[in-house]
Amino acid sequence: MIEAQKRILVADDELPIVEGLKAMLEDDGYVVDTALDGGAAFAKLTDDDYALLIVDLTIPGRDGIQLLEAVKENGLDTEVIIITGKGTVSTAVEAMRTGAYDYLLKPVAPERLKSVIPKAIEHYTLKVSHRNLSEQLRQLTKYEDLIGKSDGMQAVYG
């Protein structure tokens, strides 16, 4: 199985953008899946683990904000970068308040995207590690509310 840290989903309804981003990111060593509409992107997000979703704000089906909300509502650790050719201050603020990692205007400068992706993936990795450590700690302390020093209780703690 491919490590999720290397998996990126690119969702945009403009095929040249999808193909260009896919080629660029694969050259950088990432495993890239693509979707041409929001419904297909959502299906892929729920089927596989992705470190990062790069999504167009105005993609048909489920737009970029709706996909971002779905990522948050479903408890996915995937980071989301919104890209758009029709950006406004209000959509940028909405995206960031909803939890987008970044918001970039098209045409996206390759160097800008290449500088943001490793940071977004590092953030994803930290979230996954935190969740895993929290779960391990919860398992270790599952008897924290029990009180007792009897031999029977000591056997329970054991």
Side-chain angles (χ1 to χ4, degrees):
M1 183 167 160
I2 300 164
E3 289 182 41
Q5 295 103 306
K6 292 287 187 179
R7 293 181 59 96
I8 297 175
L9 176 60
V10 175
D12 197 309
D13 58 335
E14 296 179 55
L15 189 58
I17 289 175
V18 169
E19 290 174 343
L21 287 174
K22 180 177 172 67
M24 179 185 79
L25 296 172
E26 286 178 340
D27 285 348
D28 287 346
Y30 297 105
V31 175
V32 181
D33 289 329
T34 62
L36 295 173
D37 66 67
F42 180 72
K44 289 182 181 201
L45 284 167
T46 56
D47 285 345
D48 289 311
D49 292 330
Y50 292 93
L52 180 61
L53 166 65
I54 300 171
V55 61
D56 184 26
L57 179 66
T58 59
I59 191 171
R62 288 184 180 213
D63 68 25
I65 298 292
Q66 291 170 330
L67 281 170
L68 173 58
E69 289 169 343
V71 164
K72 301 303 177 189
E73 289 168 4
N74 287 284
L76 303 177
D77 293 315
T78 305
E79 290 296 338
V80 179
I81 295 174
I82 305 264
I83 58 174
T84 185
K86 301 171 183 146
T88 64
V89 172
S90 63
T91 57
V93 168
E94 180 184 7
M96 299 310 284
R97 280 190 179 156
T98 306
Y101 185 82
D102 210 336
Y103 182 93
L104 305 173
L105 295 177
K106 291 181 185 176
V108 178
E111 7 0 288
R112 171 78 171 119
L113 191 58
K114 286 183 177 193
S115 72
V116 171
I117 288 174
K119 295 173 190 171
I121 291 176
E122 180 180 357
H123 196 253
Y124 162 84
T125 303
L126 289 171
K127 283 196 305 189
V128 170
S129 294
H130 180 265
R131 184 176 33 82
N132 290 341
L133 288 171
S134 294
E135 178 60 26
Q136 289 174 2
L137 182 60
R138 191 182 67 74
Q139 289 296 322
L140 290 172
T141 60
K142 63 184 174 185
Y143 299 116
E144 67 185 26
D145 295 331
L146 295 178
I147 300 173
K149 293 185 179 182
S150 70
D151 290 341
M153 289 305 292
Q154 293 301 313
V156 169
Y157 300 141

